[in-house]
């Protein structure tokens, strides 16, 4: 069985999608449609902008979504048995599985990015990757801190991202360093994604989601907050909202997909971040890309 997976924020790079736009008529038309929906030329930024501009949440999220969904759209034998996306990538997965349209998906990503940016300004925070410790130890340490800090991304065994207030993350990193973390990497992000500090974004995104028609797709989507397959539109909507303030269960998602029969994972999107994570989660599966 084959699964297509879609990356989230952080996988962007200058030049992403340029060859697609040049060499594929359908891709070019979709890039042009995206520019019209956005009201500005995001392709100019994607193809030849600056790293600083492309790292902005309101640019990076639409750019990755556009690139990922176009890759899936132009793949001739795109017939997944199931799909999943890492954080933002869940929206690309929704479009690829035909649960929502490309236009509606992009509009939701724009709304999500805007809502998250506002939440970041209202509730300043940060994130850090913790390497070399068990998930349980990291979670327990976060819980012992008298500040908002919690697991945000269960990326792979031995790699867990934490998220919270500036002080909370600093205190947790200090404690985890003393506990024996192999490496701690502060992330260059605008705020505390997938933590309680994103509650204002959750409320704003709910309004945008309520205006978009969701339907049953061509295959199940394994959602971040449960690591379980979903096909009912109302359940999918509910879990999209929960994702903003809940951890991304990526390790558990890949493990569940493998237990459900997946032998081949194909990454659709810029970079190869998910390929590396999947190999760390299960070295026996096949993993490739259409990038």
């Amino acid at each position: 069985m084959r699964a297509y997976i879609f990356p989230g924020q952080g996988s962007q790079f200058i030049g992403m999608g340029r060859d697609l736009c040049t060499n594929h008529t359908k891709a070019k038309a979709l890039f042009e449609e995206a520019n019209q929906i956005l009201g500005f030329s995001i392709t100019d930024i994607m193809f030849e902008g600056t790293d600083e501009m492309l790292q902005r949440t309101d640019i990076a999220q639409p750019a990755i979504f556009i690139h990922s969904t176009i890759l899936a759209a132009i793949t001739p034998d795109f017939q997944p048995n199931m799909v999943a996306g890492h954080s933002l990538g869940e929206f690309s997965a929704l479009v690829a599985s035909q649960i929502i349209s490309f236009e509606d998906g992009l509009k939701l990503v724009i709304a999500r990015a805007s809502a998250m940016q506002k939440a970041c300004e209202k509730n300043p925070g940060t994130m850090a990757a913790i390497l070399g410790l068990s998930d349980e130890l990291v979670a327990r340490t976060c819980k012992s801190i008298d500040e908002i800090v919690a697991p945000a991304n269960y990326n792979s065994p031995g790699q867990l991202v934490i998220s919270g207030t500036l002080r909370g993350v600093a205190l947790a990193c200090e404690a985890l360093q003393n506990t024996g973390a192999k490496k701690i990497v502060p992330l260059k992000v605008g705020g505390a994604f997938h933590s309680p500090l994103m509650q204002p974004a959750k409320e704003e995104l709910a309004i945008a989601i309520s205006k978009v028609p969701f339907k049953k797709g061509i295959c199940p989507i394994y959602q971040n907050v449960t690591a379980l397959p979903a096909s009912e539109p109302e359940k999918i909507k509910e879990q999209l909202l929960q994702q903003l303030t809940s951890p991304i269960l990526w390790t558990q998602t890949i493990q569940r997909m493998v237990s459900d029969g997946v032998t081949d994972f194909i990454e659709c999107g810029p970079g190869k971040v998910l390929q590396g994570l999947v190999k760390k989660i299960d070295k026996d599966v096949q993993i490739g890309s259409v990038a």
Side-chain angles (χ1 to χ4, degrees):
M1 294 179 73
R2 175 188 296 177
Y4 281 78
I5 53 178
F6 299 83
Q9 193 168 346
S11 58
Q12 70 273 8
F13 62 89
I14 296 299
M16 57 187 280
R18 183 166 48 206
D19 290 343
L20 277 178
C21 190
T22 301
N23 299 322
H24 296 271
T25 303
K26 184 177 180 179
K28 183 177 181 180
L30 287 169
F31 276 120
E32 290 173 352
E33 181 183 348
N35 285 339
Q36 291 175 354
I37 294 169
L38 288 164
F40 68 93
S41 181
I42 196 170
T43 51
D44 285 349
I45 301 171
M46 292 169 64
F47 300 167
E48 49 196 32
T50 64
D51 286 331
E52 182 180 10
M53 179 65 76
L54 192 56
Q55 285 175 3
R56 280 176 40 180
T57 297
D58 59 341
I59 299 295
Q61 291 197 13
I64 295 163
F65 167 85
I66 292 164
H67 187 238
S68 299
T69 51
I70 288 176
L71 276 171
I74 66 170
T75 301
D77 62 343
F78 186 82
Q79 294 180 327
N81 299 105
M82 54 192 80
V83 295
H86 190 288
S87 187
L88 165 72
E90 199 158 79
F91 289 83
S92 304
L94 287 171
V95 174
S97 59
Q98 300 177 27
I99 293 169
I100 58 176
S101 68
F102 175 76
E103 180 178 356
D104 284 337
L106 181 52
K107 288 179 178 178
L108 286 181
V109 168
I110 295 166
R112 181 181 188 265
S114 173
M116 291 174 76
Q117 183 61 42
K118 291 175 187 175
C120 291
E121 293 166 2
K122 184 176 181 179
N123 300 319
T126 191
M127 304 174 77
I130 313 299
L131 281 67
L133 293 176
S134 71
D135 293 345
E136 293 76 16
L137 177 56
V138 176
R140 190 165 62 247
T141 301
C142 287
K143 196 172 182 179
S144 72
I145 303 296
D146 190 22
E147 277 277 347
I148 294 177
V149 59
N153 299 341
Y154 288 84
N155 283 336
S156 65
Q159 183 187 140
L160 197 161
V161 174
I162 62 173
S163 179
T165 63
L166 298 172
R167 185 169 183 268
V169 171
L171 288 171
C173 285
E174 181 181 1
L176 291 165
Q177 187 76 65
N178 294 335
T179 305
K182 184 177 180 180
K183 190 176 183 181
I184 294 179
V185 183
L187 302 186
K188 295 179 180 179
V189 293
F193 303 147
H194 306 296
S195 82
L197 296 180
M198 287 292 109
Q199 183 62 33
K202 189 175 178 180
E203 295 163 1
E204 188 170 331
L205 183 59
I207 298 172
I209 287 178
S210 70
K211 299 176 182 177
V212 170
F214 281 57
K215 61 182 183 180
K216 286 197 173 183
I218 60 173
C219 65
I221 178 170
Y222 283 63
Q223 290 193 272
N224 292 169
V225 299
T226 61
L228 299 173
S231 56
E232 291 298 326
E234 291 308 312
K235 176 60 72 173
I236 291 170
K237 288 182 182 182
E238 178 187 330
Q239 293 179 167
L240 274 180
L241 290 174
Q242 291 176 7
Q243 188 219 83
L244 284 175
T245 54
S246 303
I248 302 301
L249 304 180
W250 191 249
T251 299
Q252 298 89 328
T253 296
I254 298 301
Q255 290 171 338
R256 178 58 188 253
M257 294 171 93
V258 171
S259 73
D260 286 350
V262 172
T263 55
D264 293 87
F265 286 91
I266 300 173
E267 181 173 8
C268 286
K272 298 181 179 180
V273 172
L274 296 185
Q275 293 179 61
L277 294 181
V278 169
K279 273 300 182 185
K280 290 177 181 176
I281 296 167
D282 191 320
K283 60 182 178 58
D284 294 326
V285 299
Q286 297 297 311
I287 178 71
S289 72
V290 293

